Amino acid sequence: DEAGRLLLEDLRGQAQWKLSQVLKFRLEQILSRPAPDAGVSAVAATLLSATPLLVELTVFKNEVAPCFPPEYEVVKIALERFEEVIRPRVESLYQDTASLEVHDMLQLVDWLDYYVCQMSVLGYPELASCVAFSDAARSILVEYLYRVKTQVQEWFENIQKRPLEPMQDAEGLRVTTQPEDMFNVIHMQLSVAQEKLSPEHQHSVVNACVQVLRDLQRQTHDNITNNTITEYEALCAAVNDHSRMQVEMDKLGDSVLPRVSNGGGERDALAEALDEVSGSYVQLALRYVTSLARATFLELQEVVVTRFFVDEAWVSGEEALMANLVETLRDYFGDAKSWLTSYFYAKYVRECLSTAVVLYAEALAERARNGLTFGSNQGQVAARMAEDMEVLGTFFSEDEQRGPLESAGLRDAGALEAELAPMLHLAQFVSCQHPSAAEPDARLLLKKWGQDALVILTDVLTTNRDLDRRERVACADLLARWLREVNGEQEEHGPGAMAAGG
């Protein structure tokens, strides 16, 4: 019996050794076959040769292994030889991921994923090669995503460096080709990913592109703050372009989200990121509307705005500066109505109303800062201010302006009057010999504009010749106390905030 057992063990050992050698020779023979196309890369050629090994292993397990007694553990032997042959060859392909071409990186990630999947199907997901190849696939994917971001950033920068050339679209709106150009870049990257990567990795490419768009939005925010674009037609195009970017973002979400699994919450996270970027484009468009309104009045600055409170012809009523201003606004509104969508045109009209009131207040404060007083003309100046408010109110009450204002939120009775009220409050404040006589008006201004109102009202005190230096200091302290008393209520955006793009 002992002799028989030893004989069986010897036969089993010999069979295992012989099988191991045959398998190693067979696998190396398959792996060393020349690639059918001499033009393929070394990565592609190696993977092309390695793929049949997975087929051989499947055939061996299903058709050869059943012919051996279970105690021979021939599948284990096959796996050892398989890993011994294939792992060094594949690992040599990605030792330096930075030197890999993009198409080789994508093919490697796809093949490594396929390998791990096949081993799981065969029932061996915990092989050392599976762990190593899974880690490698993640590492290569990180390098690939970095390259995607870098390339998209470079292309976006090149697109933005081109001179802005506003043109008219089919609806007469002013636009540029930037939204289409940028999303063509994104769709090209996604097309490559969809062709070469598994669905579980494709959402990572979308995320990489979304990160680039976020960076671009932050840059655009800074550009708006720094008034990088000031030309009227280009600003209209910027408003429309960012609105169109929002539309493209929504289309992108509709296209990619159905293909993303949600096993680990990936789809929900991606949907949230896409929604955030989409909403930010609307906010950027609205900021450009504010810039457009400021640019409108910048055009009027020299000829009209800076003459309020300074030009004697305005004080005496010989020249109707506000009437000139609203007629010029009428011309601008005619262009803007054709160049903007109705939604953003309504926002623009409302922004121009607010900007007109703010700049009017700033013009009054500027006169004071220049050391000019109204002398005995305080009552006349106050009357002129009331007339200006009536002219501005009449203009914005016209049907052509009232409709957009209602669309922009000024629907309630008295809403327009509330927007114009600061002009009336300022007129009351100017007409009084002492701020206490206009306390309700001053408090309403302080409530609306906060610290900005305090600065303006303090400056206006210097135009009152009835107050000496000591009295002006006391009045300034009084205004500051009123501000503290109303400061518990939320302040609205005032001149300073709007001047900063707020």
Side-chain angles (χ1 to χ4, degrees):
D1 291 342
E2 180 66 20
R5 184 181 64 78
L6 292 173
L7 178 62
L8 287 175
E9 287 183 358
D10 184 56
L11 289 174
R12 182 174 63 186
Q14 292 184 39
Q16 289 174 328
W17 180 86
K18 182 66 174 177
L19 176 64
S20 175
Q21 297 304 306
V22 170
L23 282 172
K24 183 176 182 180
F25 175 79
R26 170 67 176 166
L27 295 174
E28 288 179 341
Q29 185 181 44
I30 294 174
L31 197 58
S32 62
R33 288 174 182 171
D37 184 355
V40 300
S41 67
V43 170
T46 301
L47 297 181
L48 194 62
S49 300
T51 301
L53 299 186
L54 295 172
V55 178
E56 288 284 322
L57 185 60
T58 303
V59 172
F60 183 87
K61 179 188 179 186
N62 294 334
E63 299 183 14
V64 178
C67 300
F68 288 83
E71 60 269 21
Y72 276 43
E73 298 181 314
V74 294
V75 174
K76 178 182 178 183
I77 294 172
L79 288 171
E80 290 173 350
R81 296 290 75 78
F82 180 81
E83 286 197 296
E84 179 184 338
V85 170
I86 199 171
R87 184 174 171 181
R89 298 285 186 94
V90 175
E91 285 181 338
S92 68
L93 300 177
Y94 55 79
Q95 291 303 307
D96 183 12
T97 55
S99 66
L100 289 171
E101 297 292 334
V102 168
H103 58 84
D104 287 335
M105 297 174 76
L106 292 172
Q107 192 167 2
L108 263 170
V109 171
D110 185 52
W111 192 90
L112 294 172
D113 283 346
Y114 170 70
Y115 176 94
V116 173
C117 179
Q118 285 298 106
M119 288 302 162
S120 295
V121 171
L122 290 172
Y124 311 109
E126 297 180 359
L127 285 177
S129 57
C130 287
V131 176
F133 287 173
S134 292
D135 291 342
R138 285 192 291 270
S139 177
I140 296 169
L141 187 62
V142 168
E143 173 67 22
Y144 169 67
L145 294 176
Y146 170 77
R147 293 196 195 181
V148 168
K149 289 181 63 176
T150 302
Q151 191 171 53
V152 171
Q153 285 171 338
E154 290 176 355
W155 283 340
F156 280 5
E157 287 174 3
N158 291 334
I159 291 170
Q160 290 191 305
K161 286 178 182 177
R162 296 191 308 227
L164 278 178
E165 297 179 353
M167 59 185 182
Q168 181 175 304
D169 70 2
E171 298 177 359
L173 306 178
R174 289 301 184 268
V175 297
T176 72
T177 61
Q178 282 194 2
E180 289 78 11
D181 294 342
M182 289 182 176
F183 272 88
N184 283 341
V185 170
I186 292 175
H187 287 301
M188 182 174 65
Q189 293 289 348
L190 296 183
S191 176
V192 172
Q194 289 166 6
E195 180 183 351
K196 299 294 185 180
L197 293 177
S198 62
E200 66 185 88
H201 293 316
Q202 290 174 19
H203 81 277
S204 298
V205 179
V206 181
N207 267 322
C209 293
V210 168
Q211 289 173 23
V212 178
L213 290 173
R214 276 193 180 124
D215 293 340
L216 182 62
Q217 287 181 336
R218 283 190 284 268
Q219 179 184 336
T220 302
H221 185 280
D222 293 340
N223 290 341
I224 296 173
T225 301
N226 297 327
N227 296 315
T228 304
I229 303 175
T230 57
E231 199 272 327
Y232 191 83
E233 189 173 0
L235 283 168
C236 287
V239 173
N240 292 326
D241 282 354
H242 283 79
S243 175
R244 292 160 62 226
M245 290 287 281
Q246 185 259 337
V247 173
E248 291 298 324
M249 280 301 301
D250 291 346
K251 289 180 181 178
L252 178 65
D254 292 341
S255 171
V256 301
L257 287 175
R259 296 196 296 269
V260 179
S261 72
N262 205 34
E266 294 89 351
R267 185 169 61 236
D268 290 343
L270 180 58
E272 182 178 350
L274 290 169
D275 287 343
E276 179 185 338
V277 174
S278 175
S280 293
Y281 277 118
V282 176
Q283 296 306 311
L284 287 172
L286 290 172
R287 288 206 63 201
Y288 270 119
V289 168
T290 300
S291 295
L292 181 62
R294 299 292 296 193
T296 302
F297 283 89
L298 189 63
E299 294 286 334
L300 300 169
Q301 195 80 13
E302 291 299 325
V303 294
V304 177
V305 176
T306 57
R307 296 175 62 192
F308 283 112
F309 306 104
V310 175
D311 199 314
E312 291 300 326
W314 172 81
V315 176
S316 65
E318 294 176 15
E319 188 168 0
L321 293 181
M322 186 59 76
N324 295 340
L325 185 147
V326 298
E327 287 307 312
T328 307
L329 280 180
R330 196 185 305 277
D331 293 336
Y332 276 102
F333 285 6
D335 289 335
K337 189 173 183 178
S338 300
W339 294 353
L340 298 172
T341 63
S342 58
Y343 173 81
F344 287 108
Y345 174 67
K347 297 293 185 183
Y348 168 67
V349 172
R350 179 169 183 175
E351 196 66 39
C352 281
L353 169 60
S354 299
T355 303
V357 175
V358 165
L359 290 181
Y360 196 82
E362 288 179 349
L364 174 60
E366 185 65 24
R367 177 187 174 100
R369 294 186 199 111
N370 290 331
L372 301 175
T373 66
F374 293 127
S376 61
N377 294 325
Q378 283 181 241
Q380 189 177 5
V381 169
R384 193 70 60 240
M385 293 173 69
E387 291 174 6
D388 286 345
M389 186 191 73
E390 183 177 352
V391 171
L392 193 63
T394 299
F395 171 70
F396 280 100
S397 296
E398 294 174 3
D399 290 343
E400 290 184 352
Q401 284 72 246
R402 186 174 58 193
L405 287 177
E406 290 177 352
S407 298
L410 293 184
R411 302 184 183 89
D412 298 337
L416 176 58
E417 289 75 9
E419 290 289 312
L420 297 168
M423 297 175 69
L424 182 60
H425 299 321
L426 284 170
Q428 289 293 103
F429 191 82
V430 167
S431 68
C432 293
Q433 291 183 342
H434 192 276
S436 58
E439 180 178 350
D441 297 279
R443 283 181 174 273
L444 287 170
L445 281 170
L446 291 167
K447 179 180 178 181
K448 185 175 182 64
W449 286 342
Q451 186 67 32
D452 292 326
L454 178 62
V455 172
I456 290 174
L457 294 176
T458 303
D459 287 338
V460 170
L461 288 175
T462 64
T463 67
N464 189 339
R465 70 172 187 174
D466 294 327
L467 300 174
D468 59 26
R469 180 179 177 81
R470 182 182 58 79
E471 289 172 324
R472 284 198 295 270
V473 171
C475 289
D477 290 341
L478 179 63
L479 291 171
R481 178 165 64 81
W482 290 345
L483 175 60
R484 289 193 297 272
E485 290 174 358
V486 302
N487 206 30
E489 301 179 43
Q490 186 165 347
E491 299 170 11
E492 301 180 28
H493 289 311
M498 290 192 63

